[in-house]
Amino acid sequence: GASEEEPVVKACNPAGEFTVCWDPLDGSSIVDNNWAVGTMIGIWGSKSGSKTEDNNGMLGATGRDQVTSMIALYGPRTTVLVGLDDGVYEFSYGCTPEGCMSSDGTFAPWICSRSKITIAADSKIFAPANMRAAQDLPGYKKFIDTLMEEKYTLRYTGGLVPDVYQQFTKQQGVFSNPTSAKSPAKLRLAFEAAPFGLLVEMAGGKTSDGVTGGSILDVQINAVDQRTALCIGSANEVDRFNALVL
């Protein structure tokens, strides 16, 4: 396993089947605002990649090699997105009909609140991150200006989990985070981009690596703390990002 707080893959179980990579608290910079934060988890087989001499399953692998991924959002409700065999499901920590504690004295169970979630190809919601880069990238400025001219709704908190998670609740949206010489990449491929990328593409959305225009899931993970640009969400909006920015 490896944590974004300590980006080194450490052996936990010699016979383990998986390599788990997680960002335990994404949005730490907005915690003091009491805004929603979350957890991102990517799960690879223990020998998914080509650099497996130490069972570092994600090194040498790609996001597409993930067994599954999970995203937890801690807001007014606690919810978790999970990629299952037939699609993306959301589970909410809820109450039983009798109250918030079950008959055996334990807390209420998780309930499936959404099933087989889909993300529409078109959107009217956008979350533009790294807007400083718009000063260096005319195409990104054009992308943002175009969405504003088309009266898109701005929904952006500065927390990756809530800003992308909304695509599953609203079933539309686009999050963009390009890079420039003065605004280098901050998002981590294994901890953040790949787990969300898997779920978005499973739901019918699209991703861009922000460089070639290809899927973020096809970028090889060569270092635990590898950074990346990213555009993710409704397919037609990601295509527009690729056309204007790249």
Side-chain angles (χ1 to χ4, degrees):
S3 168
E4 188 265 346
E5 303 298 331
E6 189 176 352
V8 177
V9 179
K10 294 187 176 182
C12 301
N13 178 2
E17 297 181 39
F18 305 105
T19 297
V20 181
C21 186
W22 67 94
D23 183 348
L25 186 64
D26 179 76
S28 55
S29 64
I30 60 175
V31 167
D32 58 344
N33 294 338
N34 201 27
W35 293 355
V37 294
T39 298
M40 291 173 279
I41 304 171
I43 303 173
W44 284 262
S46 62
K47 296 183 180 296
S48 294
S50 58
K51 303 177 181 179
T52 56
E53 56 272 11
D54 295 316
N55 284 359
N56 294 345
M58 66 184 181
L59 295 179
T62 67
R64 204 172 297 284
D65 294 319
Q66 290 173 101
V67 176
T68 189
S69 64
M70 302 170 63
I71 308 292
L73 178 64
Y74 313 121
R77 295 176 295 123
T78 295
T79 57
V80 179
L81 294 171
V82 184
L84 301 179
D85 289 344
D86 59 347
V88 180
Y89 288 71
E90 180 192 71
F91 294 88
S92 296
Y93 194 75
C95 294
T96 64
E98 293 76 24
C100 291
M101 187 172 288
S102 59
S103 58
D104 63 0
T106 60
F107 285 107
W110 290 89
I111 60 173
C112 181
S113 44
R114 291 185 176 88
S115 59
K116 298 182 181 178
I117 303 170
T118 58
I119 296 174
D122 294 307
S123 173
K124 281 295 182 180
I125 298 172
F126 75 124
N130 196 12
M131 292 183 69
R132 294 185 188 92
Q135 304 303 311
D136 307 320
L137 303 173
Y140 192 39
K141 186 177 187 301
K142 177 65 174 177
F143 177 74
I144 294 171
D145 288 346
T146 299
L147 298 188
M148 292 176 66
E149 290 165 3
E150 295 181 7
K151 299 185 181 342
Y152 276 44
T153 299
L154 174 66
R155 294 189 183 276
Y156 178 71
T157 69
L160 181 65
V161 170
D163 289 336
V164 180
Y165 197 109
Q166 65 181 331
Q167 297 174 9
F168 296 87
T169 54
K170 302 298 184 182
Q171 294 189 276
Q172 59 170 298
V174 60
F175 171 90
S176 54
N177 193 334
T179 61
S180 68
K182 295 180 181 179
S183 298
K186 292 184 177 180
L187 295 181
R188 292 161 175 83
L189 177 59
F191 296 103
E192 299 169 317
F196 249 135
L198 183 71
L199 296 178
V200 166
E201 291 199 10
M202 286 183 69
K206 192 169 184 176
T207 67
S208 168
D209 62 11
V211 178
T212 69
S215 170
I216 196 67
L217 297 181
D218 293 326
V219 179
Q220 184 168 300
I221 302 168
N222 297 315
V224 179
D225 203 37
Q226 184 172 334
R227 309 301 176 97
T228 184
L230 177 68
C231 185
I232 185 170
S234 294
N236 290 340
E237 311 304 340
V238 175
D239 285 342
R240 172 151 48 180
F241 172 91
N242 285 340
L244 292 175
V245 181
L246 305 186

